[in-house]
Amino acid sequence: MTAARTICLGFLTVILAGTILLMMPFSTSNGTWNDPIVALFTSTSAVCVTGLAVVDTGTDFSFWGQLFILMLAQIGGLGYMTTTTFLILLIGRRFDLRHKVAIQQALDRPGMSGSSQIIRSIIATTLIFEITGIFLLLPAFVKDFGWNQGIWLAIFHSISAWNNAGFSLFKDSLMGYQNSGLVVFTISGLIIFGGIGYQVILDIYIWLRNRLLRKTNALVFSLDFKVATSTTLILLILGTIAFFCIEIRNTNTFGNFNLPDDLLLAWFQSVTTRTAGFNSIDIGQMTDAGLFITIAMMFIGASPGGTGGGIKTTTLRVLTSCTRAILQGKEEVLLYDRKIAISLILKAIGVVFGSLATVIAGTILISITDPKLEFIQILFEVVSAFATVGLSTGITGTVSMAAKIILIITMYIGRVGVLLLMSAMLGDPRPSRVHYPEENLLVG
């Protein structure tokens, strides 16, 4: 049992357990047994923090069903290894070397030292942000639904947003609060910080602590921090501008609002496409250009170590830096005056190639099983599933059973990662000691 297999089988175990719980009569609003495919799809979507739903979460599931979905999303956002390690620490047990290796691989850390401290920091960070989000959302939801329902809505949406899960108890997601700055910016903040990675948040905390304590030793930000924050800011700004310019004349999305509201809608659309899954506009009414930009943003996704999916911001920066190095005639790939190792470049290429292969395969298969659907709708749905986003043009509940199973598999692959899944299936790679001669090849 390798570390990769432990992680992959762990996610499958949680999905299976969630499926059984969501099938029970006490999980449905009408008190009857749930459809197995609906339960499996919902459990997979929650554990993979996607948010795609074949039924309405707020009306088709009881309080217990909604609670199970929230718990599955929390486990999925933290990660299987983080959750199990935290439980082991709670009961006071020590974990062995194999468990440490699994944690290292799950968190993509360079070493195994300090694993327990990292897990405690992740749990503490999660609780701080989720509780803060609950208190910020309370005024809006309590005003409209009263204290009992308002508290539950604030808890559900805060946890769902931090884990980039995208599940909402409203039939139209957050369209009812599209003009509420409090709700939009609170959900946006939870999505951004949840998807940017725990290491980045830790660096920000240390920097703020040093500034408040007026320590003279300056914090040197890691390369992960620089790449994740700069790429995230660039994508958020460019996405806001792109959605505003493209959808401003579309009366079904932005066209009927004033300028401040249009900017708020464009901002939230730029944020939520980064694997969050909430929507403040009708995605099915967007223009084709808007849908293609959304697909591109979803495919890029969040940052490593966060709760989001996609190929990750660091992968994008490594590949764009490779392109820049080629155009400048350089033989080294540099990022912020740091040389990128060949192994990381090969890993980035592998991630993108495997991700594209998964999306293409899923799109072709659903085009075969559901030929009446439009291509853009199928591609959008598959990319949303793979990048664990949860946005949909409205076809999730209407596709065939075969298409639902394809989407389930796609969500699972997107959550555990293409390379990790291949490593689990083929075994850990072993470096070769054989070196072959080099030869030129015409490329491009």
Side-chain angles (χ1 to χ4, degrees):
M1 181 64 70
T2 63
R5 288 172 184 165
T6 300
I7 297 170
C8 292
L9 290 176
F11 274 106
L12 284 176
T13 303
V14 177
I15 290 172
L16 179 61
T19 302
I20 296 172
L21 289 173
L22 294 178
M23 283 178 60
M24 297 296 175
F26 53 75
S27 293
T28 60
S29 57
N30 56 13
T32 61
W33 287 87
N34 203 352
D35 181 83
I37 293 297
V38 172
L40 176 61
F41 192 101
T42 306
S43 178
T44 305
S45 183
V47 174
C48 298
V49 289
T50 304
L52 286 175
V54 292
V55 295
D56 182 36
T57 307
T59 57
D60 287 73
F61 288 99
S62 65
F63 167 78
W64 291 107
Q66 295 169 10
L67 180 61
F68 293 145
I69 291 173
L70 199 61
M71 292 172 61
L72 293 172
Q74 184 73 84
I75 295 172
L78 289 172
Y80 168 74
M81 290 310 305
T82 301
T83 306
T84 54
T85 303
F86 178 66
L87 294 176
I88 289 174
L89 291 174
L90 277 181
I91 62 178
R93 290 181 56 188
R94 300 177 64 88
F95 39 87
D96 55 16
L97 179 62
R98 186 180 66 181
H99 199 98
K100 291 182 179 180
V101 173
I103 296 171
Q104 176 197 3
Q105 197 159 358
L107 300 179
D108 199 15
R109 287 176 50 80
M112 291 183 290
S113 60
S115 297
S116 59
Q117 289 83 353
I118 290 294
I119 297 298
R120 291 189 180 96
S121 299
I122 290 174
I123 299 296
T125 302
T126 298
L127 290 176
I128 290 171
F129 274 91
E130 289 178 349
I131 293 173
T132 303
I134 291 169
F135 280 106
L136 290 175
L137 291 174
L138 271 177
F141 292 149
V142 169
K143 176 184 176 182
D144 295 337
F145 298 94
W147 277 101
N148 290 336
Q149 184 70 3
I151 291 174
W152 175 236
L153 288 171
I155 293 172
F156 190 96
H157 287 86
S158 178
I159 295 176
S160 181
W162 168 258
N163 290 289
N164 281 220
F167 278 96
S168 175
L169 297 182
F170 303 119
K171 189 179 291 291
D172 57 357
S173 191
L174 296 179
M175 290 180 62
Y177 293 90
Q178 58 188 187
N179 300 326
S180 171
L182 176 63
V183 174
V184 168
F185 285 114
T186 299
I187 296 293
S188 297
L190 291 169
I191 291 169
I192 293 170
F193 281 102
I196 205 169
Y198 297 103
Q199 185 60 48
V200 173
I201 297 175
L202 183 61
D203 284 353
I204 295 174
Y205 165 74
I206 295 175
W207 180 78
L208 289 174
R209 186 189 63 184
N210 291 347
R211 292 295 298 269
L212 292 175
L213 297 178
R214 296 183 179 181
K215 292 186 177 181
T216 56
N217 53 330
L219 172 67
V220 179
F221 288 112
S222 64
L223 184 60
D224 283 324
F225 176 90
K226 296 176 182 177
V227 172
T229 52
S230 61
T231 308
T232 298
L233 285 173
I234 292 171
L235 290 174
L236 288 174
I237 294 171
L238 291 179
T240 303
I241 295 172
F243 286 121
F244 178 81
C245 294
I246 290 173
E247 297 292 329
I248 186 65
R249 295 183 179 179
N250 186 353
T251 56
N252 294 319
T253 53
F254 289 16
N256 294 325
F257 299 96
N258 54 34
L259 181 61
D261 288 340
D262 283 335
L263 290 173
L264 194 64
L265 291 171
W267 160 258
F268 190 76
Q269 185 65 18
S270 179
V271 173
T272 194
T273 53
R274 306 287 308 291
T275 81
F278 294 101
N279 60 284
S280 58
I281 60 173
D282 187 352
I283 302 297
Q285 297 297 323
M286 292 179 69
T287 61
D288 286 344
L291 290 176
F292 270 111
I293 291 176
T294 304
I295 289 171
M297 298 284 281
M298 290 192 300
F299 189 73
I300 295 169
S303 300
T307 56
I311 63 171
K312 302 296 190 296
T313 54
T314 50
T315 302
L316 175 68
R317 285 296 294 274
V318 168
L319 294 182
T320 53
S321 298
C322 288
T323 305
R324 185 179 62 184
I326 293 172
L327 294 175
Q328 294 176 346
K330 296 180 179 179
E331 295 184 356
E332 294 181 344
V333 178
L334 300 178
L335 265 175
Y336 295 100
D337 298 326
R338 294 293 186 271
K339 179 182 176 181
I340 305 300
I342 295 296
S343 59
L344 289 180
I345 297 174
L346 294 176
K347 183 178 180 180
I349 295 172
V351 168
V352 173
F353 182 80
S355 301
L356 286 173
T358 304
V359 169
I360 291 172
T363 304
I364 292 174
L365 290 174
I366 295 181
S367 298
I368 295 172
T369 60
D370 296 60
K372 293 183 180 181
L373 295 176
E374 295 181 11
F375 172 77
I376 185 68
Q377 291 179 317
I378 298 174
L379 179 62
F380 192 99
E381 202 80 7
V382 172
V383 174
S384 179
F386 174 77
T388 68
V389 180
L391 293 176
S392 175
T393 56
I395 66 171
T396 311
T398 62
V399 296
S400 63
M401 183 182 295
K404 289 185 177 71
I405 294 174
I406 294 169
L407 290 174
I408 289 171
I409 296 172
T410 305
M411 286 189 287
Y412 176 74
I413 295 174
R415 181 62 185 93
V416 300
V418 177
L419 298 185
L420 187 67
L421 183 62
M422 293 301 296
S423 177
M425 295 172 61
L426 303 177
D428 291 333
R430 296 180 180 180
S432 175
R433 296 182 180 180
V434 179
H435 297 278
Y436 296 93
E438 184 178 302
E439 186 174 347
N440 287 330
L441 177 67
L442 294 177
V443 176

